[in-house]
Amino acid sequence: MFGAGGVGKSTVGKFLAGTLTDEELLKGYLDSFATEKLPISERSFGHVLVAPGQRRRQSVREELLELVRDGKIGGVINVFAYGYHSFPGDAEGFRNDAAFRDGMDPPAFMDAYLAARRRDELEQLSEAADALSKAPKPLWLLTLVAKQDLWWDRREEVETHYSGGEYKSLIDRIVGGRGKRGF
């Protein structure tokens, strides 16, 4: 499972593994320092591997992409959130984010923040494109757009974003690199 930091990969992974609890949901956002390896179930073969999404953990993500390139991973879930990434901090914490500019009120900041995080989502998918294109065995690829409760009122905009434009171009490039039989 790949995606930017704070999109909900750990939550989805724990859900798939059957270990997600109310207590887990209440903890809030915590950085992942390493790959999370979660069993799918006691009766199934395999694991969900959740890559950390923070840029400072790039080397860990690269290790998982190498497993994709080597054909040791059978499928990839790309988790996105239309820019609604979690960020630590208090109510004024947004002022410490790189998207903040002097004089911004919270709504202006959110517009800038969401746009910057969507760019990060695309950059991370672009970085994974080579591994996905070169995997020697067929694999499955799923896009999961999380945090629907935060963007549902803009769902047509979100659908257009992921079904067209730069995102679709990246997916087309990945599929074109493997051919449709590669998936």
Side-chain angles (χ1 to χ4, degrees):
M1 193 171 310
F2 292 98
V7 296
K9 297 179 306 297
S10 295
T11 301
V12 172
K14 289 172 185 172
F15 175 78
L16 292 173
T19 62
L20 185 64
T21 64
D22 290 342
E23 291 78 27
E24 286 285 331
L25 290 171
L26 293 173
K27 283 182 185 176
Y29 177 67
L30 299 170
D31 279 3
S32 294
F33 295 97
T35 298
E36 295 174 58
K37 185 176 181 180
L38 306 164
I40 295 172
S41 80
E42 294 174 3
R43 297 179 310 265
S44 297
F45 175 76
H47 292 86
V48 175
L49 301 174
V50 181
Q54 299 79 22
R55 288 284 177 194
R56 62 188 178 279
R57 312 272 187 253
Q58 181 72 23
S59 63
V60 177
R61 199 167 43 254
E62 280 300 320
E63 291 171 11
L64 279 181
L65 289 172
E66 194 62 37
L67 292 175
V68 172
R69 277 186 208 93
D70 291 345
K72 295 178 180 175
I73 290 181
V76 172
I77 301 173
N78 285 306
V79 181
F80 300 94
Y82 196 60
Y84 287 95
H85 304 191
S86 298
F87 60 95
D90 57 22
E92 292 294 312
F94 71 95
R95 296 182 190 282
N96 297 322
D97 191 89
F100 180 76
R101 301 288 178 263
D102 285 336
M104 280 185 160
D105 62 3
F109 166 73
M110 279 307 295
D111 288 342
Y113 179 81
L114 294 173
R117 297 296 77 79
R118 286 192 296 270
R119 282 191 301 278
D120 190 38
E121 291 177 357
L122 289 170
E123 287 170 11
Q124 289 206 26
L125 178 59
S126 182
E127 292 167 5
D130 179 65
L132 293 167
S133 295
K134 292 182 178 175
K137 298 177 184 176
L139 59 91
W140 52 266
L141 179 64
L142 173 73
T143 295
L144 173 67
V145 185
K147 303 189 181 189
Q148 181 182 29
D149 56 322
L150 299 175
W151 52 257
W152 185 250
D153 60 330
R154 300 165 66 186
R155 62 189 169 276
E156 290 173 7
E157 179 182 323
V158 173
E159 184 176 333
T160 298
H161 175 76
Y162 290 107
S163 65
E166 287 183 72
Y167 179 80
K168 183 171 184 330
S169 295
L170 272 170
I171 293 295
D172 288 347
R173 187 176 96 205
I174 294 165
V175 171
R178 296 183 56 82
K180 290 190 178 185
R181 290 184 178 205
F183 289 98

